[in-house]
């Protein structure tokens, strides 16, 4: 698969041949859905918590005598059925993460890349470098490339000026190639890869 390489100014900078086994797969929604669920589960704090009856600071003495009142038999006022009592079967602090095989995670990333390539939402940029950290100038370049909702992936290190200039632009995410992930690829309209990022990905999936 051959794609035209662009510069930030929107000019052509040659072509780049992409590997079919990474960018040319037939996307599978089930694999992508499993990976997104895995990532979102990892992000959950799991810190939601309510107090059970053993944690309520109320007296544990019997509410009233067992017989002779005509009321139902009760003991502790901490029981869930009473106002101010503990919560029954409420949420507790826990880890929501679950396992997903390493090979499946790698395959999901390939399918996410292939999804963008197939829908023609993949753009290859020659070099992600800004001469100065000015958001206005970078915004004009993005407008020329048609980027209003995009994930931009640089090499192992993203140019400092470029990162500073892009961080205040809405719906634009900038990550080094080590941070590329399925969820961020799918949540943005376009995927922008630098040539260095493509080389790193092809080296990673050798």
């Amino acid at each position: 698969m051959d794609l035209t390489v662009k510069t930030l100014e929107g000019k052509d900078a040659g072509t780049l041949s992409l590997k079919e086994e990474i960018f040319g797969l037939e996307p599978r929604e089930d694999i992508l859905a499993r990976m997104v669920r895995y990532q979102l589960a990892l992000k959950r704090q799991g810190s939601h918590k309510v107090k059970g009856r053993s944690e309520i600071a109320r007296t544990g003495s019997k509410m009233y005598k067992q017989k002779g009142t005509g009321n139902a038999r009760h003991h502790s006022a901490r029981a869930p059925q009473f106002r101010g009592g503990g919560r029954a079967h409420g949420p507790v602090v826990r880890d929501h993460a679950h396992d997903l095989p390493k090979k499946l995670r790698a395959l999901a990333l390939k399918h996410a890349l292939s999804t963008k390539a197939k829908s023609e939402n993949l753009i290859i940029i020659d070099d992600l470098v800004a001469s100065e950290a000015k958001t206005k100038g970078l915004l004009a370049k993005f407008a020329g490339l048609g980027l209003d909702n995009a994930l931009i992936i640089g090499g192992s290190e993203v140019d400092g000026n470029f990162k500073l200039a892009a961080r205040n632009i809405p719906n634009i995410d900038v990550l080094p190639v080590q941070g590329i992930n399925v969820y961020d690829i799918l949540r943005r309209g376009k995927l922008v890869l630098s040539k260095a990022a493509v080389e790193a990905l092809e080296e990673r999936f050798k």
Side-chain angles (χ1 to χ4, degrees):
M1 177 190 299
D2 292 334
L3 274 185
T4 302
V5 179
K6 298 280 188 180
T7 64
L8 277 175
E9 289 72 28
K11 298 176 181 177
D12 290 350
T15 59
L16 186 64
S17 182
L18 303 178
K19 291 185 176 179
E20 291 287 336
E21 58 269 27
I22 300 175
F23 295 92
L25 300 177
E26 188 62 34
R28 280 184 52 181
E29 291 184 6
D30 59 323
I31 292 177
L32 295 174
R34 286 180 67 184
M35 187 62 192
V36 168
R37 180 173 172 268
Y38 168 80
Q39 282 189 246
L40 293 181
L42 281 176
K43 290 175 69 175
R44 292 183 68 175
Q45 281 188 320
S47 56
H48 45 355
K49 173 78 171 67
V50 294
K51 289 184 177 181
R53 64 184 294 169
S54 64
E55 299 166 304
I56 294 295
R58 297 184 77 179
T59 178
S61 63
K62 191 171 178 65
M63 297 179 69
Y64 45 77
K65 63 181 182 177
Q66 179 86 343
K67 294 181 178 292
T69 65
N71 296 320
R73 295 170 292 183
H74 291 300
H75 179 245
S76 173
R78 300 177 185 143
Q81 67 265 38
F82 298 117
R83 183 184 180 92
R87 174 82 175 271
H89 312 296
V92 295
V93 175
R94 70 185 184 94
D95 184 7
H96 291 272
H98 58 269
D99 290 334
L100 198 64
K102 189 174 181 180
K103 287 185 178 179
L104 188 62
R105 283 181 269 151
L107 184 61
L109 181 54
K110 292 180 184 179
H111 278 276
L113 294 169
S114 297
T115 298
K116 292 301 181 186
K118 187 174 182 181
S119 61
E120 297 182 352
N121 285 320
L122 175 62
I123 298 173
I124 308 296
I125 298 291
D126 184 27
D127 201 8
L128 297 173
V129 176
S131 57
E132 54 183 358
K134 296 289 185 181
T135 300
K136 186 176 181 180
L138 192 59
L139 198 56
K141 292 178 180 178
F142 284 173
L145 291 166
L147 300 179
D148 55 3
N149 188 309
L151 172 65
I152 300 172
I153 303 295
S156 57
E157 289 186 10
V158 179
D159 177 65
N161 284 343
F162 184 88
K163 190 174 182 179
L164 287 171
R167 70 180 180 178
N168 285 334
I169 302 176
N171 301 320
I172 298 291
D173 297 327
V174 180
L175 293 173
V177 70
Q178 302 95 309
I180 192 170
N181 64 88
V182 172
Y183 177 66
D184 281 334
I185 290 173
L186 297 179
R187 70 191 286 262
R188 293 300 178 202
K190 292 187 182 294
L191 174 62
V192 179
L193 298 176
S194 68
K195 286 177 71 175
V198 173
E199 291 168 5
L201 286 168
E202 292 184 344
E203 181 68 26
R204 174 175 171 180
F205 291 122
K206 266 188 176 179

